[in-house]
Amino acid sequence: MSRRVPASRLSTMVVAGARPNFMKVAPVLRALREREHAASLVHTGQHYDDAMSEVFFDELGIAEPDHHLVVGSGSHAAQTAGVMLALDPLLRAESPDVLIVVGDVNSTVAAALTAAKLTIPVGHVEAGLRSRDWAMPEEVNRVVTDRLSSLLFAPSADAVDNLRAEGMAASRIHLVGNVMIDTLLQQRDRAVRRPVVADLGLADGFVLLTMHRPANVDDPAHLADLLAAVADAAAGRDVVFPMHPRVRAIVAAQPPNSALVSTVSRLTVLEPVGYLDSLALQAAATIVVTDSGGIQEETTALGVPCVTVRPSTERPITVTDGTNQIAGTRPTVVRAVIEARLKNPGEPRRPALWDGRAAQRTVDAIEVFVANGSPHPTD
């Protein structure tokens, strides 16, 4: 019979590297420490701007990381190699029972590969998500991380199906729910009391826009067309655009009379916002337009219509059981989808197990795994 491991026997290392990771590690760290397990936190520094990382630690009440790798920006290869080189000596020194990684960024796959080379078991939070778009670096990261992981923590039933279809042993797969929703439900009341909407003087019915993926923003002409499609569809509504540093650099590089600069002038542009202000803006928006994976989930949990500017999603449950709709990346189609959703937003829905207990179920599975001898993923 499976049993949980005593607290004194369980040591973990948790790795975070980018904004979406922070909301996922917070409830897992809390659950581990509530049970008096040792849990060291490694911040790789993949997002190194305060507005993109440290502010989230402050708002979520996450203690200062035990280790900060300060990897910073760079190519996919440079970031992955940087994390591996910096993490290897830490793993050798601490030798945790389990390394926990979250999401699908370069830090995730780099940490998983480093641990696997040292035969340290890996637990992947948010396992099994698939877009089946190999042009997305995140898809490569997801698939490789899952293959290396002994513990696969699936957020939804479709993720379990994906893992089973890829031949993963049932003993490795744990349907735990969505840990990011744990954080959202804990912070929602606090977030909606934030004054950001009033401070910006936003009228009812505003549209919230976020966009940062290279396929959408790296070509200034395409970016201008997408932003114009959103502004046109909004039909006089405020369009609030917290601008990612990547996009800000692209806009700044354009001549003042360019189509992109002209289109941006039609929007209410903000600096990147913290987690609580992001939730407050989402909760108050009539519709959210995004290319973010995490915001697809957050809007579903908040019951707010979402239009995703991507050809596919690794989170199809937000479409089948949530408030999300995939619009692709053709500006004319994006405009039409937004206009249709503004006229008919649909009914809010929330997937099963998005109940605020996913982190507790995750730690339950880790305890049983360690108590049973931490089998290798090929066992």
Side-chain angles (χ1 to χ4, degrees), residues 283-371:
T286 293
I287 193 169
V288 177
V289 181
T290 189
D291 60 7
S292 162
I295 288 177
Q296 295 172 53
E297 296 178 326
E298 290 167 354
T299 48
T300 280
L302 292 167
V304 176
C306 179
V307 172
T308 296
V309 185
R310 283 168 48 182
S312 61
T313 179
E314 68 284 357
R315 295 165 169 86
I317 197 166
T318 63
V319 177
T320 60
D321 293 46
T323 63
N324 188 26
Q325 183 173 350
I326 307 303
T329 59
R330 290 175 55 192
T332 55
V333 177
V334 170
R335 176 178 176 175
V337 172
I338 295 170
E339 290 173 340
R341 290 302 298 275
L342 286 169
K343 291 177 181 176
N344 182 16
E347 294 296 323
R349 299 174 295 175
R350 184 185 297 173
L353 295 184
W354 289 26
D355 58 0
R357 299 282 302 169
Q360 297 292 338
R361 290 186 285 266
T362 298
V363 176
D364 288 346
I366 294 170
E367 290 175 333
V368 171
F369 171 79
V370 175

Side-chain angles (χ1 to χ4, degrees), residues 12-372:
T12 61
M13 181 181 287
V14 182
V15 176
R19 175 195 182 277
N21 293 172
F22 308 144
M23 290 82 81
K24 297 166 190 171
V25 302
V28 175
L29 284 168
R30 188 178 303 109
L32 286 164
R33 290 168 177 170
E34 283 175 353
R35 301 188 194 185
E36 300 182 355
H37 294 313
S40 65
L41 174 61
V42 177
H43 183 0
T44 69
Q46 181 173 328
H47 276 175
Y48 55 91
D49 185 281
D50 280 351
M52 298 299 289
S53 61
E54 273 71 17
V55 66
F56 292 93
F57 281 82
D58 294 339
E59 291 183 348
L60 297 174
I62 304 173
E64 185 69 19
D66 299 280
H67 308 284
H68 203 311
L69 305 187
V70 200
V71 171
S73 62
S75 69
H76 291 288
Q79 281 191 332
T80 303
V83 172
M84 293 182 71
L85 287 169
L87 185 61
D88 180 82
L90 288 179
L91 284 171
R92 292 177 184 274
E94 293 199 9
S95 190
D97 294 316
V98 178
L99 176 80
I100 300 171
V101 297
V102 297
D104 54 20
V105 298
N106 291 334
S107 298
T108 305
V109 70
L113 184 56
T114 306
K117 293 278 189 177
L118 297 173
T119 67
I120 294 171
V122 177
H124 184 201
V125 172
E126 210 175 58
L129 299 184
R130 297 290 184 268
S131 70
R132 295 175 176 82
D133 180 358
W134 285 91
M136 293 179 64
E138 296 89 346
E139 183 75 353
V140 178
N141 293 345
R142 293 179 202 113
V143 173
V144 174
T145 300
D146 283 344
R147 184 62 186 86
L148 295 169
S149 297
S150 298
L151 288 159
L152 298 163
F153 300 117
S156 52
D158 60 291
V160 172
D161 292 342
N162 290 334
L163 293 167
R164 288 175 174 168
E166 292 172 10
M168 304 297 184
S171 60
R172 295 166 59 192
I173 303 170
H174 304 272
L175 178 58
V176 297
N178 192 328
V179 295
M180 198 160 77
I181 305 306
D182 291 14
T183 297
L184 185 149
L185 294 178
Q186 183 184 54
Q187 300 290 341
R188 179 177 53 193
D189 290 347
R190 183 180 169 208
V192 298
R193 292 195 296 269
R194 302 278 287 192
V196 60
V197 174
D199 288 350
L200 290 171
L202 296 173
D204 290 343
F206 73 88
V207 175
L208 177 63
L209 167 66
T210 80
M211 197 170 292
H212 72 282
R213 291 189 179 272
N216 286 335
V217 307
D218 282 1
D219 179 351
H222 182 58
L223 175 59
D225 287 345
L226 284 174
L227 297 183
V230 178
D232 291 343
R237 300 170 186 261
D238 291 326
V239 178
V240 181
F241 185 24
M243 190 177 284
H244 191 282
R246 180 188 193 95
V247 180
R248 189 170 293 278
I250 292 167
V251 174
Q254 304 308 304
N257 61 347
S258 69
L260 179 56
V261 172
S262 176
T263 304
V264 167
S265 70
R266 300 173 61 188
L267 313 176
T268 302
V269 175
L270 311 180
E271 292 295 325
V273 296
Y275 176 64
L276 295 178
D277 281 347
S278 176
L279 287 186
L281 288 167
Q282 289 181 58
T286 293
I287 193 169
V288 177
V289 181
T290 189
D291 60 7
S292 162
I295 288 177
Q296 295 172 53
E297 296 178 326
E298 290 167 354
T299 48
T300 280
L302 292 167
V304 176
C306 179
V307 172
T308 296
V309 185
R310 283 168 48 182
S312 61
T313 179
E314 68 284 357
R315 295 165 169 86
I317 197 166
T318 63
V319 177
T320 60
D321 293 46
T323 63
N324 188 26
Q325 183 173 350
I326 307 303
T329 59
R330 290 175 55 192
T332 55
V333 177
V334 170
R335 176 178 176 175
V337 172
I338 295 170
E339 290 173 340
R341 290 302 298 275
L342 286 169
K343 291 177 181 176
N344 182 16
E347 294 296 323
R349 299 174 295 175
R350 184 185 297 173
L353 295 184
W354 289 26
D355 58 0
R357 299 282 302 169
Q360 297 292 338
R361 290 186 285 266
T362 298
V363 176
D364 288 346
I366 294 170
E367 290 175 333
V368 171
F369 171 79
V370 175
N372 289 345

